[in-house]
Amino acid sequence: MSNFIVRKVAVLGAGVMGAQIAAHCVNAKVPVVLFDLPAKEGPKNGIVLKAIENLKKLNPAPLGNKDDAQYIEPANYEEHLELLRGCDVIIEAIAERMDWKHDLYRKVAPHIRADAIFASNTSGLPIAKLAEVMNTELKQRFCGVHFFNPPRYMHLVELIPTPATKPAILDDLETFLTSTLGKGVVRAKDTPNFIANRVGIFGMLATIKEAEKYGIPYDVVDDLTGSKLGRAKSATFRTADVVGLDTMAHVIKTMQDTLPASIDPFAAHFVTPPVLKALVEKGALGQKTGAGFYRKDGKVIKVLDPKKQDYVESTGKADELVARILKKKDPAERLKLLRETDHPQAKFLWAIFRDAFHYIAVHLESIADTARDVDFALRWGFGWNTGPFETWQAAGWKQIAEWVQSDIDKGEALSRASLPKWVFEGPVAKAGGVHTKDGSWSPAKKKFVGRSELPVYARQIFRAPLLGEGAPTGHNGGTTIHEDDSVRIWKLDQGLAAEVLILSLKTKVHAIGPGVLAGMNKAVELAESQYRGLVIWSPDDPFSVGADLQAMMPVFMAGGAKAIGPEVAKFQQTMMRLKYSQVPVVAAVSGMALGGGCETLLHCAKRVASLESYVGLVEVGVGLIPGGGGLKEGALRAAQAAQAAGITDVFPFIRNWFMNAAMANVSKSALEARAMGYLLPTDTIVFNGHELLWTAIGEAFALHATGYRPPLKTKGFPVAGRSGVATVKAQLVNMRDGGFISAHDFFIASCIAEVLCGGDVEPGSPVDEQWLLDLERKYFVQLVAHPKSQERMMGMMQTGKPVRN
C-alpha cells in the first residue's frame, strides 16, 4: 500500500470560502498557497493579503490560532503559477461561474503536477461539465469537493466524481479530508446541488410555502424548526440569513435552471419566494449586510413582517400545546400527534416532515448511493441531530409511508408523484426501514450497502452512529468493568486497545461531583492493578463543565462553608491521584473542559484534544477560584518555564496564568489552549472527533510501552512570593478604582494572585505542591462563605448565566 502524502495545498480564490479553506488547512499544519487575481493597485498580492488579514477578524474564527495566518503563502495568477508544481492537492474555490472556472482551468492546467489531485469547491455546478476543458489525463485526477460554510466548523464535505475520475483519487482525497482536516465525507452523485443543498434547500422552500399556507410568522417558524426539532438553533430563516440570501437565491436559481418538471416532479415549487427576491434586490442579504429576514437594532432583534414590509420586534414562540408535543420522546407518538392535532402549527410541522420524506424517497436513487449518505449530509451539513430517513424509520416506516401516500393521493402534498415501490415492498418494507445492521438501502443496487472500508476509518473505533444500524457505540460498546450513576469504567475487547482502561463520565454535562471523584479513584486503582493505562473519554461532549455546584449545596446547608473544605480536599487528592498514577492517564478532550474539567486534564500524563476544545479555569464566574489544583499546576509550570529559560524571576511566567484565571478566559480551540498553556507542545490535537478515542488509547499504550514513570514529587519549586502578589494587586487597584472591576472582583483576583505567587513568602522561596493546594483550599472556602460569591453561585444555578456584583 502506498501513502498519499499531502505536503502542500493550493487554494485558488481568496474569497470567503477559499480563504477559510486555506485557514483550516493551516489549522491542520498543512502548508497552503492562496491564489487570487493580481491587484490593480498596490502590491500584486494585495487581494490575498487583505483576505488573510480578514481571517483574523472573522467570527466564528476560521483560524484556531490567529497567529497561524502567517503560514498562508499569498500568490497571484500572474507571477506565481509555478508554485502549483509543489502542491499535492489543488482546490479551486472561485465564484460560481462556469465560464470563469473554465478560463482558470486553462490557465493553471500546464502547471499542475502529474500526480496532484485537482478539485473544484462548488455548491452545485455539474462536475463533468467543469471537466470538459481538461485533457484526458487531468480529468482522471479531477473531482468536486463541496465544503460547507464555515469550513472549520461544518463537518460535511461532499465528494463528487466525474465518470473519468480514478477511484484511487477519490480514496486518497477522502482519507486526507477525513483524518487531516477532520471532515465527514459523503460521496454524492453529479446532480444539481448534490445531496445536502438539494434536500436542504428544498426543505427550506417547502417550509416557506407551508408557513405561508398556515399563516406562521418567520420567528415562530424558527422557534418551531430549530432545537425543538433537534436541528440547528438557527432553524430556517436565521440559517438563510447566515448562509446569505444571495447564496440561497443562487442555489434556488440552479434548481430552476437544471431541474425541470421532467426531472423533478417538485419543480413547480422551485420558485424564488417573492420575499427573498425583494430582500436580495434591496441588498438585504442577511447577516453579512446586517439585515435579511432579521435585523438587529442595538440589542433588539427584529423580524421582517411581510405584510407591513418592515421589521418588528421578534417575540414569536411556539404554542405551548405544540411545544409539549415536540417534547415527546417517542418519534411515532410525536408525528402522530402533529398529524392529528387541529392546530395550524402542528399541521405545519407535519407538512414539512411529510414534504421531506416524500422528496428524499422520490430522489434517493438519483442523488445518492445510499440512504445513509442523505442522512449524514443533512446532519453534518445542516446541523440536524437525526437525518430524515432516520426520523422516518424511528417513527414507524410502514405507518409513515401510508400517511405520506395518503396525503399525496388527497392532493395535500407538494407533488402528485407516488412514493417508490421499494418503500412498500421488498427488503426495506421487510426490515422496517432503510438502515439495518447489514448497511443502508441502495435503490440502484437493490440491497443494503455497508460502510466504507477505507483504512482511514479503522481509526474510528465508534463511527458516526445511525439509527436502525444497531452498531455498538461509546455508550454500550466494549466490556463494562464497573458502572454506576456517575461513571462507566470499561474496556474494548480486542487487540492492544483491550489493555487500556477507559473512564466515561455519565453525569449531566459531565459535572464532577462525589460520584465522579469516586469513579476516578476506582479507575486509577483498577488501571494500576491490571492495565497499561487509563483514558478519560466520554462518548459525547463536553469533556466536563467542572465541579457540580448542586452537589455541594447539601454539604453547605448541613455544615456551612467549613464543611466544604474536606470536599475540596477530596477533589485535590483525586487530581493528585491522577497525576501520580503508576500507569499513564490520558485525557481525551472534546468540547468544553471548564473549571474542574480543565483541572482534570492538567493533572493527566498527556492530553489528546479535539480541535474544537474550549478550555479554561472559569470559577470566577461563580465567585470562586480554582480549587482542584489548577492554580497549583499554573505556578508549577511557570517555575518550570523560568528554569528552562534560565531565569530566576518566576513572575513573568505567572502573568499569563493569572490573567486567564482572573478573566475566566476560555480557549476558542485546542490550538489556542496550547498557546494559553493548558495544553503542552507535546500534547496531541486531532481534527476528527471520531478518532479521539483511538488516538488517546494509542498514546496511553505508547507511554507505557516506552517505560512510563509518573513524575517525581518535587521537594520545592520557586514562587513569586509577596512581591508578586503586591505587583498584581497594584494593577488590580487601578482597575477597581477606575470602575473596570467591582470590589468583589478585586477580592477574587487577589485570592488567585495569592495562590499563584505562593502567598506571603519571600520571592524565589521554594514551596511544594501541597503548600499551594492548601492555599487554594483556604481561599476557596473563604469565598464560599462570602455573601457576594453566594449570590454568584445561586445566580448561575438558577439562570445559567454569570452574575456581576
Side-chain angles (χ1 to χ4, degrees), residues 502-532:
I502 304 165
L503 170 69
S504 296
L505 276 57
K506 293 173 55 183
T507 52
K508 185 178 180 181
V509 292
H510 302 151
I512 301 173
V516 170
L517 294 177
M520 287 179 173
N521 282 290
K522 186 175 185 66
V524 172
E525 182 181 346
L526 285 168
E528 287 181 333
S529 64
Q530 302 175 44
Y531 296 89
R532 294 176 184 255

Side-chain angles (χ1 to χ4, degrees), residues 343-359:
H343 188 292
Q345 292 181 16
K347 289 180 177 296
F348 158 74
L349 286 171
W350 162 251
I352 64 172
F353 274 115
R354 176 204 63 218
D355 297 340
F357 298 153
H358 190 188
Y359 196 78

Side-chain angles (χ1 to χ4, degrees), residues 479-501:
T479 298
T480 300
I481 310 299
H482 165 82
E483 187 168 15
D484 55 35
D485 291 340
S486 299
V487 300
R488 179 186 179 220
I489 302 172
W490 57 288
K491 71 179 185 70
L492 294 166
D493 297 325
Q494 294 180 335
L496 298 178
E499 300 182 42
V500 175
L501 197 63

Side-chain angles (χ1 to χ4, degrees), residues 13-14 35-40 44-48 75-78 107:
F35 281 83
D36 212 299
L37 295 166
K40 293 179 181 178
K44 284 284 184 71
N45 287 335
I47 294 172
V48 177
N76 67 78
Y77 304 125
E78 185 178 296
K107 182 181 292 186

Side-chain angles (χ1 to χ4, degrees), residues 58 141 163 466 499 565 757:
L58 290 178
R141 292 180 286 113
L466 204 61
E499 300 182 42
C757 295

Side-chain angles (χ1 to χ4, degrees), residues 744 782-794 805:
H744 195 51
Q782 279 187 22
L783 286 164
V784 167
H786 199 293
K788 292 286 187 181
S789 285
Q790 291 173 9
E791 287 175 14
R792 293 192 183 190
M793 284 186 279
M794 291 305 298
N805 55 357

Side-chain angles (χ1 to χ4, degrees), residues 221-557:
V221 168
D222 278 352
D223 192 49
L224 287 166
T225 60
S227 54
K228 286 184 173 66
L229 283 194
R231 298 180 183 178
K233 289 182 180 179
S234 54
T236 302
F237 294 102
R238 282 193 179 88
T239 294
D241 276 358
V242 170
V243 169
L245 303 191
D246 52 341
T247 301
M248 185 177 173
H250 170 78
V251 176
I252 295 170
K253 181 69 163 56
T254 301
M255 296 173 80
Q256 294 167 1
D257 294 343
T258 56
L259 294 171
S262 58
I263 296 176
D264 194 321
F266 296 81
H269 303 289
F270 300 159
V271 177
T272 305
V275 63
L276 177 63
K277 185 178 179 182
L279 287 168
V280 171
E281 287 175 351
K282 284 197 308 187
L285 307 180
Q287 187 170 279
K288 59 190 172 187
T289 60
F293 286 106
Y294 291 89
R295 188 180 74 194
K296 193 172 183 180
D297 290 352
K299 293 185 178 181
V300 178
I301 296 175
K302 294 187 174 182
V303 64
L304 182 66
D305 183 333
K307 293 179 181 177
K308 296 181 179 179
Q309 290 293 301
D310 199 3
Y311 293 89
V312 298
E313 190 167 344
S314 177
T315 57
K317 294 287 183 184
D319 185 85
E320 181 57 34
L321 169 67
V322 178
R324 284 202 302 271
I325 292 173
L326 294 178
K327 288 179 181 177
K328 300 286 184 182
K329 291 185 178 180
D330 180 8
E333 183 184 8
R334 195 161 58 237
L335 285 181
K336 182 176 186 293
L337 288 171
L338 289 176
R339 187 171 186 268
E340 295 176 352
T341 301
D342 190 21
H343 188 292
Q345 292 181 16
K347 289 180 177 296
F348 158 74
L349 286 171
W350 162 251
I352 64 172
F353 274 115
R354 176 204 63 218
D355 297 340
F357 298 153
H358 190 188
Y359 196 78
I360 59 175
V362 167
H363 289 295
L364 174 59
E365 184 169 358
S366 66
I367 65 173
D369 290 330
T370 70
R372 176 175 55 246
D373 299 322
V374 173
D375 279 342
F376 281 153
L378 271 294
R379 280 167 52 176
W380 296 341
F382 279 77
W384 294 16
N385 289 347
T386 55
F389 277 119
E390 290 178 288
T391 301
W392 182 349
Q393 183 166 334
W397 183 266
K398 183 174 182 290
Q399 181 63 81
I400 296 296
E402 289 173 353
W403 286 343
V404 172
Q405 189 60 52
S406 173
D407 280 8
I408 295 168
D409 294 340
K410 289 186 291 187
E412 294 178 1
L414 295 183
S415 167
R416 289 282 186 177
S418 292
L419 293 175
K421 285 186 178 180
W422 60 259
V423 171
F424 296 102
E425 304 171 4
V428 171
K430 185 177 179 181
V434 291
H435 303 309
T436 71
K437 62 180 179 60
D438 297 320
S440 296
W441 180 248
S442 170
K445 295 178 180 176
K446 294 182 171 54
K447 66 177 183 178
F448 296 105
V449 176
R451 302 263 189 131
S452 168
E453 295 182 357
L454 280 178
V456 68
Y457 292 111
R459 298 170 63 90
Q460 300 184 12
I461 294 174
F462 300 108
R463 295 172 72 168
L466 204 61
L467 288 177
E469 203 173 48
T473 69
H475 294 282
N476 58 23
T479 298
T480 300
I481 310 299
H482 165 82
E483 187 168 15
D484 55 35
D485 291 340
S486 299
V487 300
R488 179 186 179 220
I489 302 172
W490 57 288
K491 71 179 185 70
L492 294 166
D493 297 325
Q494 294 180 335
L496 298 178
E499 300 182 42
V500 175
L501 197 63
I502 304 165
L503 170 69
S504 296
L505 276 57
K506 293 173 55 183
T507 52
K508 185 178 180 181
V509 292
H510 302 151
I512 301 173
V516 170
L517 294 177
M520 287 179 173
N521 282 290
K522 186 175 185 66
V524 172
E525 182 181 346
L526 285 168
E528 287 181 333
S529 64
Q530 302 175 44
Y531 296 89
R532 294 176 184 255
L534 171 65
V535 169
I536 302 176
W537 173 84
S538 300
D540 48 1
D541 291 346
F543 178 73
S544 172
V545 299
D548 186 350
L549 289 178
Q550 295 281 4
M552 288 202 314
M553 289 307 295
V555 177
F556 178 78
M557 296 301 292

Side-chain angles (χ1 to χ4, degrees), residues 29 52 59 69 101 120 147 157 162 192 205 323 360 408 468 474 509 517 606 731 735 789 805:
K29 298 294 180 281
I52 293 172
N59 187 29
K101 289 179 185 282
S120 173
F147 286 83
V157 171
T162 74
L205 287 171
I360 59 175
I408 295 168
V509 292
L517 294 177
K606 192 159 190 178
Q731 297 170 352
M735 295 179 70
S789 285
N805 55 357

